[in-house]
Amino acid sequence: MGTRNVKDGLNLSLQIDKDCHQHGAVTEEIDGLIKVYKDEHVERPKIVPCVTSDLPHELGVTSRDVVIDKFTNIWARFYVPIKCHGKLPLLVYFHGGGFCVGSAAWSCYHDFLARLAAETSSIIVSVNYRLAPENPLPAAYDDGIKALMWLEQQALSVGADNWWTSQCNFSNIFLTGDSAGANIAYNVITRPGSFNSGQAAAAMKPLSLRGIVLIQPFFGGEARTSSEKYQVQSPRSALSLAASDTYWRLALPYGSNRDHPWCNPLAKGLDVELEDLLRFPIMVCISEMDILKDRSLEFVASLERAGKMVEHVVHKGVGHAFQILSKSQLSQTRTLEMMSQIKDFISGI
């Protein structure tokens, strides 16, 4: 056993030396998730398995993958309840991963979104967008807008694949996502020419946005909040402060800091500007043990001061991305609560 361990260690050392020689020094790394080399080569260990769209029949949801743009390799995974009464609301979902990792095919998202579709009686479109650092922001925002434009084409197309369009209420759409995906949902909706202007909204007919659901939104800032400084994180936490900073360095345009508006929408006192933005009801889901808790609460308070229609829930005793990464009994309970709260939000509008 000792000989094999020595041999394994030697092989690992040789592989590391080979990688360093081939790609240069490692410039950025989040352990187990992403490694970026000096020559801009990027490695993403397969820490979470990617799965096909297959689902157990008893869940009552069917799933398929659909190409949105073959030139930029944007695709989406659809979740459609099998038994439905009338047309269903449509949730456009963006996965998390700090803009740098993650996939609509990750098993944790596949399981969560299939259950969310069943619990909320909604069609869910999970968008697989381009990742940083190969495609820094605003690439993910552009992909989100492109996905909405593609949905508009499907709604207008007489010959569209009716396995899902015939069940979809295109006038009842919600943008949602978790972590970086929530950031994408927010920035898609607040970009110039988005749904927020009456002219742009009219141009997107028959699509009609009804609300936004932001789950543990990934925002940041140069000044640290109390929860960022003092919230104790377990070694297995989904998001540490160091990892958060690394994601932002990799995702933001070169030379930007964390007070860039894509990262920190409140950095320059945006309460006034928010008067012209976010005309839709907003739900913000916050985790009590998340380092982002205080920043999310500040975001909610700013929206309230601007007179926006916003509600928030705090999930007690759980951390960042608990609904997709934690299997504890408490996390399972809180996940069911979250799904019920999202269902109430979208059905109450």
Side-chain angles (χ1 to χ4, degrees):
M1 179 69 72
T3 302
R4 187 168 62 183
N5 287 342
V6 170
K7 183 178 179 181
D8 290 344
L10 178 60
N11 289 339
L12 178 59
S13 178
L14 290 173
Q15 181 61 45
I16 292 172
D17 290 343
K18 179 181 177 183
D19 290 342
C20 289
H21 177 74
Q22 183 178 355
H23 301 296
V26 174
T27 57
E28 297 283 5
E29 181 176 11
I30 300 175
D31 189 39
L33 287 170
I34 188 169
K35 187 182 291 187
V36 182
Y37 291 86
K38 187 176 181 179
D39 69 350
E40 299 183 353
H41 173 75
V42 179
E43 292 178 359
R44 295 181 177 87
K46 297 186 183 301
I47 191 170
V48 178
C50 289
V51 297
T52 67
S53 59
D54 293 341
L55 289 170
H57 181 73
E58 57 269 21
L59 189 61
V61 175
T62 185
S63 178
R64 296 185 196 176
D65 293 343
V66 177
V67 174
I68 291 177
D69 187 337
K70 64 181 180 181
F71 298 105
T72 53
N73 197 30
I74 305 169
W75 58 274
R77 179 161 292 182
F78 279 70
Y79 300 88
V80 182
I82 295 173
K83 294 181 180 180
C84 60
H85 303 285
K87 292 186 179 292
L88 304 178
L90 175 64
L91 275 60
V92 181
Y93 194 95
F94 302 98
H95 67 76
F99 307 103
C100 299
V101 299
S103 169
W106 267 15
S107 58
C108 54
Y109 279 109
H110 187 56
D111 295 342
F112 171 69
L113 294 178
R115 292 171 58 203
L116 184 63
E119 291 291 331
T120 61
S121 298
S122 301
I123 295 174
I124 297 179
V125 181
S126 178
V127 181
N128 200 72
Y129 53 87
R130 291 172 292 170
L131 300 176
E134 300 95 326
N135 302 282
L137 297 174
Y141 306 151
D142 293 339
D143 294 349
I145 292 172
K146 185 169 289 185
L148 293 176
M149 294 175 66
W150 180 86
L151 287 169
E152 178 197 17
Q153 294 171 358
Q154 302 308 300
L156 293 171
S157 177
V158 176
D161 191 349
N162 64 9
W163 73 277
W164 69 274
T165 55
S166 62
Q167 301 181 54
C168 180
N169 182 355
F170 286 101
S171 64
N172 195 17
I173 294 179
F174 294 80
L175 289 194
T176 183
D178 70 289
S179 194
N183 178 294
I184 293 170
Y186 171 81
N187 278 288
V188 163
I189 208 61
T190 55
R191 292 191 82 188
S194 72
F195 279 100
N196 271 299
S197 72
Q199 184 177 0
M204 291 295 288
K205 294 292 184 181
L207 301 191
S208 180
L209 184 66
R210 302 296 301 279
I212 310 164
V213 179
L214 306 180
I215 303 172
Q216 303 135 15
F218 185 45
F219 295 127
E222 288 297 306
R224 304 298 194 188
T225 66
S226 179
S227 61
E228 287 171 343
K229 289 189 290 186
Y230 304 118
Q231 181 67 60
V232 177
Q233 298 293 296
S234 72
R236 299 184 63 185
S237 172
L239 185 68
S240 67
L241 189 58
S244 173
D245 289 352
T246 301
Y247 283 136
W248 284 118
R249 285 195 299 271
L250 294 174
L252 287 171
Y254 180 77
S256 302
N257 66 20
R258 293 189 306 275
D259 281 336
H260 190 288
W262 292 340
C263 174
N264 187 357
L266 307 179
K268 298 179 180 179
L270 293 186
D271 288 4
V272 175
E273 292 185 25
L274 282 171
E275 294 292 343
D276 297 322
L277 299 173
L278 298 172
R279 300 182 295 108
F280 313 98
I282 306 160
M283 177 182 185
V284 183
C285 298
I286 302 169
S287 295
E288 182 185 32
M289 310 304 290
D290 190 353
I291 63 169
L292 301 179
K293 178 188 70 173
D294 288 347
R295 198 168 293 280
S296 296
L297 290 172
E298 290 175 1
F299 175 72
V300 169
S302 293
L303 293 175
E304 290 175 339
R305 286 194 297 270
K308 303 296 106 176
M309 297 175 287
V310 58
E311 62 182 77
H312 76 281
V313 292
V314 177
H315 297 110
K316 302 290 186 180
V318 287
H320 194 77
F322 73 89
Q323 71 283 357
I324 59 164
L325 295 179
S326 177
K327 300 298 183 183
S328 72
Q329 184 58 54
L330 178 60
S331 292
Q332 294 301 307
T333 299
R334 295 290 181 261
T335 299
L336 289 175
E337 290 174 0
M338 175 189 286
M339 291 182 177
S340 177
Q341 291 157 349
I342 293 174
K343 180 179 180 178
D344 290 344
F345 176 76
I346 64 178
S347 62
I349 295 176

Coordinates of all heavy atoms in Angstrom, one line a residue, residues 190-254:
T190 N -32.1 44.6 -16.7 CA -31.7 46.0 -16.5 C -30.9 46.6 -17.6 O -30.5 47.8 -17.6 CB -31.0 46.2 -15.2 OG1 -29.9 45.4 -15.1 CG2 -32.0 45.9 -14.0
R191 N -30.5 45.8 -18.6 CA -29.7 46.3 -19.7 C -30.5 47.2 -20.6 O -31.7 47.0 -20.8 CB -29.1 45.2 -20.6 CG -28.0 44.4 -19.8 CD -27.3 43.4 -20.7 NE -26.2 44.1 -21.4 CZ -25.5 43.6 -22.4 NH1 -25.8 42.3 -22.8 NH2 -24.5 44.2 -22.9
P192 N -29.9 48.2 -21.2 CA -30.6 49.1 -22.2 C -31.3 48.3 -23.3 O -30.7 47.4 -23.8 CB -29.5 50.0 -22.7 CG -28.5 50.0 -21.7 CD -28.5 48.6 -21.1
G193 N -32.6 48.6 -23.6 CA -33.3 47.9 -24.6 C -33.9 46.6 -24.2 O -34.5 45.9 -25.0
S194 N -33.9 46.3 -22.9 CA -34.5 45.1 -22.4 C -36.0 45.3 -22.2 O -36.6 46.3 -22.6 CB -33.8 44.7 -21.0 OG -34.3 45.6 -20.0
F195 N -36.6 44.4 -21.5 CA -38.0 44.5 -21.2 C -38.4 45.7 -20.5 O -39.6 46.1 -20.4 CB -38.5 43.3 -20.3 CG -38.7 42.0 -21.1 CD1 -37.7 41.0 -21.1 CD2 -39.9 41.8 -21.8 CE1 -37.9 39.8 -21.8 CE2 -40.1 40.6 -22.4 CZ -39.1 39.6 -22.5
N196 N -37.5 46.4 -19.8 CA -37.8 47.6 -19.0 C -38.3 48.8 -19.8 O -39.0 49.6 -19.2 CB -36.6 48.0 -18.2 CG -36.5 47.2 -16.9 OD1 -37.5 47.3 -16.1 ND2 -35.5 46.4 -16.7
S197 N -38.0 48.9 -21.0 CA -38.5 50.0 -21.8 C -39.8 49.5 -22.5 O -39.9 48.4 -23.0 CB -37.5 50.5 -22.9 OG -37.4 49.5 -23.9
G198 N -40.8 50.4 -22.5 CA -42.0 50.0 -23.1 C -41.9 49.7 -24.6 O -42.5 48.7 -25.1
Q199 N -41.0 50.4 -25.3 CA -40.8 50.1 -26.7 C -40.2 48.7 -26.9 O -40.6 47.9 -27.8 CB -39.9 51.1 -27.3 CG -39.7 51.0 -28.9 CD -38.9 52.1 -29.4 OE1 -38.4 53.0 -28.7 NE2 -38.6 52.1 -30.7
A200 N -39.2 48.4 -26.1 CA -38.6 47.1 -26.2 C -39.5 45.9 -25.8 O -39.6 44.9 -26.4 CB -37.3 47.0 -25.3
A201 N -40.3 46.2 -24.8 CA -41.3 45.2 -24.3 C -42.3 44.9 -25.4 O -42.7 43.8 -25.7 CB -42.0 45.6 -23.1
A202 N -42.7 46.0 -26.1 CA -43.7 45.8 -27.2 C -43.1 45.0 -28.4 O -43.8 44.2 -29.0 CB -44.2 47.2 -27.7
A203 N -41.8 45.3 -28.6 CA -41.1 44.6 -29.7 C -41.0 43.1 -29.4 O -40.8 42.3 -30.3 CB -39.7 45.2 -29.9
M204 N -41.0 42.7 -28.1 CA -40.9 41.3 -27.7 C -42.2 40.5 -27.7 O -42.2 39.3 -27.4 CB -40.2 41.2 -26.4 CG -38.7 41.6 -26.4 SD -37.7 40.6 -27.4 CE -37.6 39.1 -26.3
K205 N -43.3 41.2 -28.0 CA -44.5 40.5 -28.1 C -44.4 39.3 -29.0 O -43.8 39.4 -30.1 CB -45.7 41.4 -28.5 CG -45.9 42.6 -27.5 CD -46.6 42.0 -26.3 CE -46.9 43.2 -25.3 NZ -47.5 42.7 -24.1
P206 N -45.1 38.1 -28.7 CA -46.1 37.9 -27.6 C -45.5 37.6 -26.2 O -46.2 37.3 -25.3 CB -46.9 36.8 -28.1 CG -45.9 35.9 -28.9 CD -45.0 36.9 -29.5
L207 N -44.1 37.7 -26.1 CA -43.5 37.4 -24.8 C -43.9 38.5 -23.8 O -43.9 39.7 -24.2 CB -42.0 37.3 -24.9 CG -41.4 36.3 -25.8 CD1 -39.9 36.2 -25.5 CD2 -42.0 34.9 -25.6
S208 N -44.3 38.2 -22.6 CA -44.6 39.2 -21.6 C -44.0 38.8 -20.3 O -44.4 37.7 -19.7 CB -46.1 39.4 -21.5 OG -46.4 40.3 -20.5
L209 N -43.0 39.5 -19.8 CA -42.4 39.2 -18.5 C -43.3 39.7 -17.4 O -43.8 40.8 -17.4 CB -41.0 40.0 -18.5 CG -40.2 39.7 -17.2 CD1 -39.7 38.2 -17.2 CD2 -39.0 40.6 -17.2
R210 N -43.4 38.8 -16.4 CA -44.3 39.1 -15.3 C -43.6 39.3 -14.0 O -44.1 39.9 -13.1 CB -45.3 37.9 -15.1 CG -46.2 37.7 -16.4 CD -47.1 38.9 -16.7 NE -48.0 39.2 -15.6 CZ -49.1 38.6 -15.3 NH1 -49.5 37.5 -16.1 NH2 -49.8 38.9 -14.3
G211 N -42.3 38.7 -13.9 CA -41.6 38.9 -12.6 C -40.2 38.3 -12.7 O -39.9 37.6 -13.7
I212 N -39.5 38.5 -11.6 CA -38.1 38.0 -11.5 C -37.9 37.3 -10.2 O -38.3 37.8 -9.1 CB -37.1 39.2 -11.6 CG1 -37.5 40.1 -12.8 CG2 -35.7 38.7 -11.7 CD1 -36.8 41.4 -12.8
V213 N -37.2 36.1 -10.2 CA -36.9 35.4 -9.0 C -35.4 35.3 -8.9 O -34.8 34.6 -9.8 CB -37.6 34.0 -9.0 CG1 -37.2 33.3 -7.7 CG2 -39.1 34.1 -9.1
L214 N -34.8 35.9 -7.9 CA -33.3 35.9 -7.7 C -33.0 35.0 -6.5 O -33.3 35.4 -5.4 CB -32.8 37.3 -7.5 CG -33.2 38.3 -8.6 CD1 -32.6 39.7 -8.3 CD2 -32.7 37.8 -10.0
I215 N -32.3 33.9 -6.7 CA -32.0 33.0 -5.7 C -30.5 33.2 -5.3 O -29.6 33.0 -6.1 CB -32.2 31.5 -6.1 CG1 -33.7 31.3 -6.5 CG2 -31.8 30.6 -5.0 CD1 -33.9 29.9 -7.1
Q216 N -30.3 33.7 -4.1 CA -28.9 34.0 -3.6 C -28.1 34.7 -4.6 O -27.0 34.2 -5.1 CB -28.2 32.6 -3.2 CG -28.9 31.8 -2.2 CD -29.0 30.3 -2.5 OE1 -28.3 29.8 -3.4 NE2 -29.9 29.6 -1.8
P217 N -28.5 35.9 -5.1 CA -27.9 36.6 -6.2 C -26.4 36.9 -5.9 O -26.0 37.3 -4.8 CB -28.7 37.9 -6.3 CG -29.4 38.0 -5.0 CD -29.7 36.6 -4.5
F218 N -25.6 36.6 -6.9 CA -24.1 36.8 -6.8 C -23.7 38.2 -7.2 O -23.5 38.5 -8.3 CB -23.4 35.8 -7.7 CG -21.9 35.8 -7.6 CD1 -21.3 35.8 -6.3 CD2 -21.1 35.7 -8.7 CE1 -19.9 35.8 -6.2 CE2 -19.7 35.7 -8.6 CZ -19.1 35.8 -7.4
F219 N -23.7 39.1 -6.1 CA -23.2 40.4 -6.3 C -22.0 40.6 -5.4 O -21.7 39.7 -4.6 CB -24.3 41.5 -5.9 CG -25.5 41.5 -6.7 CD1 -26.8 41.3 -6.2 CD2 -25.4 41.6 -8.1 CE1 -27.9 41.4 -7.0 CE2 -26.5 41.6 -8.9 CZ -27.8 41.5 -8.4
G220 N -21.2 41.6 -5.6 CA -20.0 41.9 -4.8 C -19.8 43.3 -4.7 O -20.6 44.2 -5.0
G221 N -18.6 43.7 -4.2 CA -18.2 45.1 -4.0 C -16.8 45.2 -3.4 O -16.4 44.2 -2.7
E222 N -16.2 46.3 -3.5 CA -14.9 46.5 -2.9 C -15.0 46.5 -1.4 O -14.1 46.0 -0.7 CB -14.2 47.7 -3.5 CG -13.7 47.6 -4.9 CD -12.7 46.6 -5.1 OE1 -11.6 46.6 -4.4 OE2 -12.8 45.7 -5.9
A223 N -15.9 47.2 -0.9 CA -16.1 47.3 0.6 C -16.8 46.0 1.0 O -17.8 45.6 0.4 CB -17.0 48.5 0.9
R224 N -16.3 45.4 2.0 CA -16.8 44.1 2.5 C -18.0 44.3 3.4 O -18.1 45.3 4.2 CB -15.8 43.3 3.3 CG -14.5 43.1 2.6 CD -14.7 42.2 1.4 NE -13.4 41.7 0.9 CZ -13.3 41.0 -0.3 NH1 -14.3 40.8 -1.0 NH2 -12.1 40.6 -0.6
T225 N -19.0 43.5 3.3 CA -20.2 43.5 4.2 C -19.8 42.7 5.5 O -18.8 42.0 5.5 CB -21.4 42.9 3.6 OG1 -21.2 41.5 3.3 CG2 -21.8 43.6 2.3
S226 N -20.6 42.8 6.5 CA -20.4 42.1 7.7 C -20.4 40.6 7.5 O -19.5 39.8 8.0 CB -21.4 42.5 8.8 OG -21.2 41.7 10.0
S227 N -21.4 40.1 6.7 CA -21.4 38.6 6.5 C -20.2 38.1 5.7 O -19.8 37.0 5.8 CB -22.8 38.2 5.8 OG -22.9 38.8 4.6
E228 N -19.7 39.0 4.8 CA -18.6 38.6 4.0 C -17.3 38.5 4.9 O -16.5 37.6 4.7 CB -18.3 39.6 2.9 CG -19.3 39.5 1.7 CD -19.2 40.6 0.7 OE1 -18.6 41.6 1.1 OE2 -19.7 40.4 -0.4
K229 N -17.3 39.4 5.9 CA -16.1 39.4 6.8 C -16.2 38.3 7.9 O -15.2 37.7 8.3 CB -15.9 40.8 7.4 CG -15.5 41.8 6.4 CD -15.1 43.1 7.1 CE -16.3 43.8 7.6 NZ -16.0 45.2 8.2
Y230 N -17.4 38.1 8.4 CA -17.5 37.4 9.7 C -18.3 36.1 9.6 O -18.2 35.3 10.5 CB -18.1 38.3 10.8 CG -17.3 39.5 11.0 CD1 -17.9 40.8 10.8 CD2 -16.0 39.5 11.4 CE1 -17.2 42.0 10.9 CE2 -15.2 40.7 11.6 CZ -15.9 41.9 11.3 OH -15.2 43.1 11.5
Q231 N -19.0 35.8 8.5 CA -19.8 34.6 8.4 C -18.9 33.4 8.3 O -18.1 33.3 7.4 CB -20.8 34.7 7.2 CG -21.6 33.4 7.1 CD -22.7 33.3 8.2 OE1 -23.5 34.2 8.4 NE2 -22.6 32.3 9.0
V232 N -18.9 32.6 9.3 CA -18.1 31.4 9.4 C -18.6 30.4 8.3 O -19.8 30.0 8.3 CB -18.1 30.7 10.8 CG1 -17.2 29.5 10.7 CG2 -17.5 31.7 11.8
Q233 N -17.7 29.9 7.5 CA -18.0 28.9 6.4 C -17.4 27.6 6.7 O -16.2 27.5 7.2 CB -17.6 29.4 5.1 CG -18.2 30.8 4.6 CD -19.7 30.6 4.4 OE1 -20.1 29.9 3.5 NE2 -20.5 31.3 5.2
S234 N -18.1 26.5 6.4 CA -17.6 25.2 6.6 C -16.6 24.9 5.4 O -16.6 25.6 4.4 CB -18.7 24.1 6.5 OG -19.2 24.0 5.2
P235 N -15.6 24.0 5.6 CA -14.7 23.7 4.5 C -15.3 23.3 3.2 O -14.8 23.4 2.2 CB -13.8 22.6 5.1 CG -14.0 22.7 6.6 CD -15.4 23.2 6.8
R236 N -16.6 22.8 3.3 CA -17.3 22.3 2.1 C -18.3 23.4 1.6 O -19.1 23.1 0.8 CB -18.0 21.0 2.4 CG -17.1 19.9 2.8 CD -17.9 18.6 3.0 NE -18.5 18.1 1.8 CZ -19.3 17.1 1.7 NH1 -19.6 16.4 2.8 NH2 -19.9 16.7 0.6
S237 N -18.1 24.6 2.1 CA -19.1 25.7 1.6 C -19.0 25.8 0.1 O -17.9 25.8 -0.5 CB -18.7 27.0 2.3 OG -19.5 28.0 1.8
A238 N -20.2 26.1 -0.5 CA -20.2 26.3 -1.9 C -19.6 27.6 -2.4 O -19.2 27.8 -3.5 CB -21.7 26.3 -2.4
L239 N -19.5 28.6 -1.4 CA -18.9 29.9 -1.8 C -18.1 30.5 -0.7 O -18.7 30.9 0.3 CB -20.0 30.9 -2.3 CG -19.5 32.2 -2.8 CD1 -18.7 32.0 -4.2 CD2 -20.6 33.2 -3.0
S240 N -16.8 30.6 -0.8 CA -16.0 31.3 0.2 C -15.7 32.7 -0.4 O -15.9 33.0 -1.6 CB -14.7 30.6 0.4 OG -13.9 30.6 -0.8
L241 N -15.2 33.6 0.5 CA -14.9 34.9 0.0 C -13.7 34.9 -1.0 O -13.8 35.6 -2.0 CB -14.5 35.8 1.2 CG -14.3 37.3 0.9 CD1 -15.6 37.9 0.3 CD2 -13.9 38.0 2.2
A242 N -12.8 34.0 -0.8 CA -11.6 33.9 -1.7 C -12.1 33.5 -3.1 O -11.7 34.0 -4.1 CB -10.6 33.0 -1.2
A243 N -13.0 32.5 -3.1 CA -13.6 32.0 -4.3 C -14.4 33.0 -5.0 O -14.3 33.2 -6.3 CB -14.4 30.7 -4.1
S244 N -15.2 33.8 -4.3 CA -16.0 34.9 -4.9 C -15.1 35.9 -5.6 O -15.3 36.3 -6.7 CB -16.8 35.6 -3.7 OG -17.4 36.7 -4.2
D245 N -14.0 36.3 -4.9 CA -13.1 37.3 -5.5 C -12.4 36.7 -6.8 O -12.3 37.5 -7.8 CB -12.0 37.6 -4.5 CG -12.5 38.5 -3.4 OD1 -13.6 38.9 -3.4 OD2 -11.7 38.7 -2.4
T246 N -12.1 35.4 -6.8 CA -11.5 34.8 -8.0 C -12.5 34.8 -9.1 O -12.1 35.1 -10.3 CB -11.0 33.4 -7.6 OG1 -10.0 33.4 -6.6 CG2 -10.3 32.8 -8.9
Y247 N -13.7 34.4 -8.8 CA -14.7 34.4 -9.9 C -14.8 35.8 -10.5 O -14.9 35.9 -11.8 CB -16.1 34.0 -9.3 CG -16.2 32.5 -9.1 CD1 -16.8 32.1 -7.9 CD2 -15.8 31.6 -10.0 CE1 -17.0 30.7 -7.7 CE2 -16.0 30.2 -9.8 CZ -16.6 29.8 -8.6 OH -16.8 28.4 -8.4
W248 N -14.9 36.8 -9.7 CA -15.0 38.2 -10.3 C -13.8 38.6 -11.1 O -13.9 39.3 -12.1 CB -15.3 39.2 -9.2 CG -16.7 39.1 -8.6 CD1 -17.1 38.8 -7.4 CD2 -17.9 39.3 -9.4 NE1 -18.5 38.8 -7.3 CE2 -19.0 39.1 -8.6 CE3 -18.2 39.7 -10.8 CZ2 -20.3 39.3 -9.0 CZ3 -19.5 39.8 -11.2 CH2 -20.5 39.6 -10.3
R249 N -12.6 38.2 -10.6 CA -11.4 38.6 -11.4 C -11.5 37.9 -12.8 O -11.0 38.5 -13.8 CB -10.1 38.1 -10.7 CG -9.8 39.0 -9.5 CD -8.3 38.8 -9.1 NE -8.1 37.4 -8.6 CZ -8.3 37.0 -7.4 NH1 -8.7 37.8 -6.4 NH2 -8.1 35.7 -7.0
L250 N -12.0 36.7 -12.8 CA -12.0 36.0 -14.1 C -13.2 36.4 -15.0 O -13.1 36.3 -16.2 CB -12.2 34.5 -13.8 CG -11.0 33.8 -13.2 CD1 -11.4 32.3 -12.8 CD2 -9.8 33.8 -14.1
A251 N -14.3 36.9 -14.4 CA -15.5 37.2 -15.2 C -15.6 38.7 -15.7 O -16.1 38.9 -16.8 CB -16.7 36.9 -14.4
L252 N -15.1 39.6 -14.9 CA -15.3 41.0 -15.2 C -14.3 41.4 -16.3 O -13.3 40.8 -16.5 CB -15.0 41.9 -14.0 CG -16.1 41.9 -12.9 CD1 -15.7 42.6 -11.7 CD2 -17.4 42.5 -13.5
P253 N -14.7 42.5 -17.1 CA -13.8 43.0 -18.1 C -12.4 43.4 -17.5 O -12.3 43.8 -16.3 CB -14.5 44.2 -18.6 CG -15.9 44.0 -18.3 CD -15.9 43.2 -17.0
Y254 N -11.4 43.2 -18.3 CA -10.0 43.4 -17.8 C -9.9 44.9 -17.3 O -10.3 45.8 -17.9 CB -9.0 43.3 -19.0 CG -7.6 43.5 -18.6 CD1 -6.9 42.5 -17.8 CD2 -6.9 44.7 -18.9 CE1 -5.6 42.7 -17.4 CE2 -5.6 44.9 -18.5 CZ -4.9 43.9 -17.8 OH -3.6 44.1 -17.4

